[in-house]
Amino acid sequence: NNYSLLSAAALLFRNQGSSMVINYFFGTVVNAAYAISYSVQNYITTFVGNFDIASAPQITQNISRGNMDRTILLASSTCRVCILLTLLLLFPIYCELPFILHLWLGDSMPESTVTFCKCTLLVALVSSTSGGITQLIRGTGKLKWFSIQFAVMYVLALLVSIGLYKAGFPPYTVILSYSVFDAISRCIQIYLLHRYIKLDIGSFVQISYLRPLGVFICGVAYVLVSESLNAEQNLWHIVNFLIASLFMAASVYNVGLYKEEKNTILSYIRQRLTHNKER
């Protein structure tokens, strides 16, 4: 419908408008760095988005049956898992981002690429907080104000960025601006869901965001320790990436998941191991 088109147009405006504004103020080299950072962000959001999309049928079915308690539980659990998946990918990449980008791009890497990519990782994290919420909004069928606020936030983010650029702010300002306005948009979405379907905001926030916050704190602590070591050998970069991945996996499992979810994972692993032995 028209409101879905409005949301799509706003997203296109955000992506193309950002490139045009950066190119106007800083030139093609900085714009190239932004394009690379957008690719990194897109890889993460696409991977996490697949899980979000997979939840859509169950959420829609429960809404159509009038089972709102089950619907909201599914949406909040989906939101939490989307954030956890993002954190699982984000921190290992963040720890060794210069090394990874150098392997990918070599010496041709544009200046400011690392800074842009670090900022877009923040965008990916904020974006992951919409997991489940998007499907819940679509399931309600009341898209009007969700789409309008979505478009308004993106337009405001770009306009604010232009104003800040004129005041002399750095190139990555537009990325941080989108992160801030995306977070504001999420608050508006949750408030509108509270009005439309009586969403319990406190319960939703607790289930969706509290445990991921604990995992985020664990990730930040690891980054601080990792940066304090400041080793330069290539072997260290590979080892650090692997350790960061294992550490985040352990943090997600122990801090981010509920007991029932841990039992489900362990049961699945046992079944797979048993199946492989039988083969």
Side-chain angles (χ1 to χ4, degrees):
N1 57 33
N2 293 333
Y3 295 114
S4 296
L5 289 175
L6 177 62
S7 297
L11 187 59
L12 181 64
F13 176 80
R14 163 188 166 169
N15 297 336
Q16 299 303 318
S18 300
S19 296
M20 292 173 64
V21 168
I22 290 174
N23 192 59
Y24 176 80
F25 281 97
F26 302 102
T28 55
V29 175
V30 175
N31 198 31
Y34 171 74
I36 293 169
S37 69
Y38 180 77
S39 298
V40 173
Q41 175 199 339
N42 196 43
Y43 291 139
I44 296 176
T45 54
T46 300
F47 173 76
V48 176
N50 290 333
F51 183 86
D52 183 25
I53 293 171
S55 69
Q58 288 193 55
I59 291 175
T60 303
Q61 287 172 11
N62 279 278
I63 288 178
S64 63
R65 294 170 184 167
N67 191 351
M68 294 310 300
D69 289 340
R70 175 64 177 166
T71 299
I72 293 171
L73 179 61
L74 282 169
S76 56
S77 298
T78 299
C79 183
R80 177 167 49 84
V81 173
C82 285
I83 300 171
L84 292 175
L85 287 173
T86 303
L87 291 170
L88 184 63
L89 296 171
L90 185 149
F91 278 105
I93 293 174
Y94 185 93
C95 284
E96 292 301 334
L97 192 57
F99 178 70
I100 293 170
L101 288 174
H102 189 266
L103 287 178
W104 179 22
L105 302 170
D107 295 330
S108 62
M109 181 172 65
E111 190 178 354
S112 303
T113 302
V114 173
T115 303
F116 267 115
C117 286
K118 286 183 176 181
C119 291
T120 54
L121 290 178
L122 175 62
V123 174
L125 179 59
V126 175
S127 177
S128 70
T129 62
S130 69
I133 294 176
T134 303
Q135 309 307 329
L136 193 56
I137 290 169
R138 289 173 180 168
T140 64
K142 300 176 181 179
L143 301 179
K144 177 180 178 180
W145 289 108
F146 290 106
S147 298
I148 290 174
Q149 68 85 25
F150 183 78
V152 169
M153 288 298 109
Y154 277 172
V155 171
L156 284 177
L158 191 59
L159 292 177
V160 167
S161 299
I162 292 172
L164 293 175
Y165 282 152
K166 288 183 176 180
F169 279 69
Y172 56 82
T173 298
V174 68
I175 302 176
L176 299 181
S177 177
Y178 279 123
S179 297
V180 171
F181 279 92
D182 195 17
I184 296 172
S185 174
R186 198 76 63 251
C187 295
I188 296 173
Q189 287 174 328
I190 292 173
Y191 171 73
L192 289 174
L193 285 170
H194 170 69
R195 288 195 60 186
Y196 290 151
I197 63 172
K198 306 303 179 186
L199 177 74
D200 186 336
I201 295 177
S203 177
F204 184 86
V205 169
Q206 181 180 357
I207 296 173
S208 301
Y209 303 131
L210 196 58
R211 286 176 178 259
L213 177 60
V215 177
F216 177 80
I217 292 171
C218 291
V220 170
Y222 183 88
V223 168
L224 293 175
V225 172
S226 173
E227 290 181 345
S228 68
L229 297 176
N230 197 28
E232 295 297 331
Q233 294 83 359
N234 287 344
L235 181 60
W236 161 252
H237 293 302
I238 297 171
V239 170
N240 189 37
F241 180 84
L242 294 175
I243 293 174
S245 300
L246 291 173
F247 178 81
M248 290 310 301
S251 299
V252 166
Y253 180 81
N254 290 297
V255 180
L257 300 179
Y258 287 98
K259 184 178 180 180
E260 298 79 8
E261 294 164 336
K262 295 177 186 178
N263 291 336
T264 300
I265 292 173
L266 291 175
S267 176
Y268 175 78
I269 293 173
R270 291 193 193 100
Q271 288 178 1
R272 297 303 301 174
L273 292 174
T274 303
H275 178 70
N276 290 334
K277 286 180 180 179
E278 291 174 352
R279 291 177 61 186

